[in-house]
Amino acid sequence: MRLNDYDTTNKMSASVVSSTRITPEDSKTELRHIDLAVDSIDFSYEVGQSIGVLVPGPHEFGVKEYMRLYSIAGSGEDDGINPVISLCVKRCFYIDDFNGERYEGKASNYLCDLKEGDEVTLVGPYNLAFTLPKEKDANLLMIGLGTGIAPFRAFIKHIYNELGGWEGDVRLYHGAMRGIELAYMNDQNADLEYYYDQETFKAFQALSPRAHFDVPVDLEGAIAQNADEVWTMLQDPKTYVYVAGLKQIRELLDGALVKIVGSPEAYEQQRAKMIDEGRWAELIY
């Protein structure tokens, strides 16, 4: 769906409980963990859903509001009155190829500039891009780049904190250009380390070998180090695969898994089979 196709009539107010930078100040990448208290006691969401943020205008071409979708990264600490949701936001910008000018991302900069107590308008929540299997002995293979880790953080917190554990293997592959840019897995914020002692959970990091030269994240290398386990999981009918992140993740992941499976044809056949069975889901933007 295009953003213009989403129903934005269900608007609700929320206020910023906290906005915390989760990458070091000397990092060029600014990632923020933002907790929002939704001003509606009836608000609820399911793990895997997204929320829409409305950025007030006016914007170009007379647009009054600009909407951006963000995966809900879990529930924040309840303030006792209103439900609290968490977002993982990267302050974005892009350089125009034609004039060389820098343009700030509307929604990301709007959210990153919010202070405690500021109000924001939300819409949604929207579709379940990712749905957890009902069987707790299912295997979960989660692969994300950058802020693509947000829905996986929600998964992990949910299955271990709220469901009380998971019997199947839970594997997370998280990629970023540099170690300090690994959301919830860096020296500034290591939220996911709380789950390292879970018997069924393991996390693996994929970094760029030469970040200063914009060499892509070595997702292939991280997966190759665990090739036998990944291939075993892919062949197991109890395994569910979730992929999230910028569009470059598709090329990186395809390259990594083709080598494990043996050929492009065999990989596409396996992937198509899992998609048909509802065991392969992607959230690529």
Side-chain angles (χ1 to χ4, degrees), residues 21-29 180-181 186-188:
R21 179 169 176 146
I22 57 175
T23 48
E25 292 293 337
D26 58 356
S27 169
K28 294 181 180 179
T29 298
I180 57 176
E181 298 171 10
N186 62 51
D187 291 340
Q188 189 77 12

Side-chain angles (χ1 to χ4, degrees), residues 71-90:
S71 295
I72 299 175
S75 298
E77 186 174 345
D78 198 320
D79 66 358
I81 303 175
N82 298 313
V84 178
I85 59 172
S86 301
L87 304 181
C88 180
V89 182
K90 177 182 179 181

Side-chain angles (χ1 to χ4, degrees), residues 6 39 78 97 187 192 252 266:
Y6 282 87
D39 189 19
D78 198 320
D97 292 335
D187 291 340
L192 291 178
L252 296 174

Side-chain angles (χ1 to χ4, degrees), residues 19 30 36 42-43 64 68 95 129 161 165 176 214 228 273:
S19 177
E30 180 180 351
L36 300 172
D42 296 326
F43 175 81
K64 295 182 179 180
R68 173 74 160 83
I95 305 297
N161 291 359
D214 291 329
D228 290 343
K273 179 176 184 292

Side-chain angles (χ1 to χ4, degrees), residues 191-204:
D191 185 69
L192 291 178
E193 283 191 4
Y194 297 135
Y195 304 98
Y196 281 10
D197 61 348
Q198 295 288 341
E199 185 177 347
T200 57
F201 176 71
K202 290 183 181 179
F204 305 94

